[in-house]
Amino acid sequence: MAQPLHFDLAPDAKSAPGRIAVPADKPYAPGGFGYEPERRGGEFLFSATVPEGNYRVTVRLSGRTTIKAESRRLMLADVATRPGKYVTASFIVNVRTAALAPPPANAPGGVAVQLKSREAGSYTWDDKLTLEFLGDPHVASIDIEPVEVPTVYLAGDSTVTDQRAEPAASWGQMLPAFFASDVAVANHAESGETLKSFVTAHRLDKLLSGMKAGDWLLIQFGHNDQKEQWPQTYSDPKFAYPAWLRAFIAEARRRGAHPVLVTSPERRNFDQGRIRHTLADYAEAMRKVAREDRVPLIDLQTDTIALYEALGPERSPLLFNDGGADKTHHNNPGAWLLARAVAAGIAAQVPELGAHLKPEFRSFDPARPALESLHIAPSIAASDVRPAGN
């Protein structure tokens, strides 16, 4: 197991036994630790090289701080202290690389996930743990310790993945903030993915390589699977889509893990004040698999329809990327509300996992969203390129 790392970041920090004082101008170097080049005022990113695995990160800080990990996974939102007062907080970060154990001689397989060009340089797929401190952070110390905890794996598309840059965001990268520091969230979703491509690109292989008995696998696909113009990855809702879902379910169960199905969030297409159901066949196919195979189901399609219709055509664009011009991908407030719906679904349908949720996130009414109170500190990275898929 990896060795714990203990860093002191305060300006006057001195090396104590077993701890490392980090100068304010120490840049990250491969194999080591330090600050990443991205900065904005007092906001910064800090990285430390670690092996793959789950890590409990404990921070001591003051000010008003939001912390994200890897590619903008929300860990702590808007932690505030009185001037000069420090608090200590902990959370779990999952770290992975794209590497796979080579298959035996003459056996089919691959040695790495087939990453897309847009994933190059992502903090999600490297050999370090990266933390982003936003707001008005005053960080005194960071402790990084390897832990053995249950892991919640996410398999899905652009509406689930850790979006790398503002203003796009997905529910999967908000979910870690809803759990207590005794569960890890490993988000393997990626933009443009389908059930088939998730397998052929070795993403499922990578996910399964770390899975152990007692873990969970949340599965959400549909947006891209329904595209008949993508002939190599199209899955019809009557035959192929249910069969691929059952393959994912079987692989999780074979390892003693617990599969959970999540229907796809609906697109924001209004027709006379009501949302047009563009994913109805796929949502119903997933519900049928859930019933027949006795798999818990979180009905995010139904919840998002209720959410968008509650806000109406005028206000629902406030939840979406690209100033609302994008009708599929969300921004931070939208991703937060979808994650609230998923967390409430977990609490209701998967009570063993729901017990690990912070109590305030175990219920949510999508028909009564408190949009005005939402604020997620924006990350430093920004891009006007839309996520792949629609």
Side-chain angles (χ1 to χ4, degrees):
M1 182 175 283
Q3 294 299 309
L5 297 171
H6 306 285
F7 299 106
D8 291 321
L9 275 62
D12 57 351
K14 297 180 181 179
S15 295
R19 302 194 66 83
I20 303 169
V22 184
D25 59 352
K26 170 72 170 66
Y28 175 80
F33 58 88
Y35 295 93
E36 299 288 349
E38 301 97 324
R39 284 185 178 269
R40 183 175 60 198
E43 300 174 319
F44 64 92
L45 282 77
F46 181 87
S47 293
T49 301
V50 295
E52 288 187 308
N54 293 326
Y55 292 86
R56 176 169 286 111
V57 177
T58 302
V59 294
R60 186 169 179 266
L61 47 80
S62 70
R64 195 177 195 100
T65 310
T66 290
I67 302 177
K68 302 179 185 180
E70 303 293 85
S71 288
R72 299 175 58 228
R73 294 179 209 155
L74 186 63
M75 297 290 149
L76 296 175
D78 202 26
V79 177
T81 68
R82 296 193 301 274
K85 298 295 184 181
Y86 281 79
V87 297
T88 299
S90 296
F91 48 86
I92 305 293
V93 179
N94 176 266
V95 177
R96 68 175 185 269
T97 71
L100 285 163
N106 301 318
V111 297
V113 176
Q114 296 173 12
L115 300 181
K116 299 170 181 174
S117 59
R118 63 174 169 267
E119 295 177 275
S122 168
Y123 290 122
T124 293
W125 291 109
D126 58 23
D127 61 353
K128 57 189 176 183
L129 190 159
T130 298
L131 302 171
E132 183 177 23
F133 294 89
L134 301 165
D136 180 31
H138 301 272
V139 185
S141 64
I142 302 172
D143 295 290
I144 301 172
E145 301 177 288
V147 291
E148 294 288 341
V149 294
T151 301
V152 181
Y153 289 93
L154 308 182
D157 53 32
S158 58
T159 61
V160 186
T161 191
D162 293 338
Q163 296 289 353
R164 291 177 62 183
E166 302 286 344
S170 297
W171 67 258
Q173 65 194 129
M174 298 293 170
L175 197 61
F178 298 167
F179 282 102
S181 58
D182 56 0
V183 163
V185 176
N187 191 352
H188 286 249
E190 171 55 23
S191 295
E193 288 300 300
T194 70
L195 285 161
K196 285 184 182 180
S197 66
F198 204 82
V199 172
T200 58
H202 299 299
R203 295 181 190 275
L204 183 61
D205 291 325
K206 182 64 182 182
L207 184 157
L208 295 174
S209 71
M211 183 174 283
K212 60 187 183 300
D215 288 341
W216 286 270
L217 171 60
L218 272 60
I219 306 162
Q220 184 216 282
F221 291 92
H223 279 87
N224 303 310
D225 302 74
Q226 71 174 178
K227 295 174 180 174
E228 294 187 62
Q229 69 271 29
W230 291 11
Q232 293 186 18
T233 58
Y234 168 67
S235 295
D236 73 279
K238 185 175 181 180
F239 298 109
Y241 182 73
W244 281 105
L245 286 175
R246 288 188 165 101
F248 280 59
I249 292 166
E251 291 288 0
R253 284 176 166 169
R254 184 169 77 85
R255 291 161 175 80
H258 310 293
V260 180
L261 296 178
V262 184
T263 58
S264 295
E266 191 51 84
R267 300 176 177 93
R268 195 189 84 249
N269 294 310
F270 277 91
D271 183 5
Q272 298 183 340
R274 304 301 297 269
I275 288 292
R276 189 166 70 250
H277 297 192
T278 66
L279 289 149
D281 291 347
Y282 287 82
E284 188 52 43
M286 182 176 277
R287 295 181 191 111
K288 186 171 185 288
V289 170
R291 290 192 301 270
E292 293 177 352
D293 290 46
R294 298 184 179 180
V295 180
L297 179 123
I298 297 169
D299 201 345
L300 190 56
Q301 191 216 20
T302 297
D303 285 345
T304 50
I305 291 169
L307 174 62
Y308 305 157
E309 290 183 351
L311 295 172
E314 296 78 20
R315 299 182 68 220
S316 57
L318 297 173
L319 305 183
F320 283 80
N321 179 47
D322 197 13
D326 188 333
K327 295 185 178 182
T328 299
H329 306 104
H330 300 88
N331 57 14
N332 285 319
W336 174 270
L337 290 176
L338 264 66
R340 288 295 310 267
V342 171
I346 289 172
Q349 304 299 326
V350 198
E352 321 86 63
L353 178 56
H356 296 278
L357 289 165
K358 297 172 183 176
E360 62 268 31
F361 298 122
R362 295 176 185 175
S363 62
F364 176 69
D365 184 354
R368 293 177 175 81
L371 183 58
E372 291 76 9
S373 63
L374 283 176
H375 175 71
I376 307 296
S379 291
I380 297 172
S383 173
D384 59 3
V385 177
R386 282 195 192 179
N390 57 45

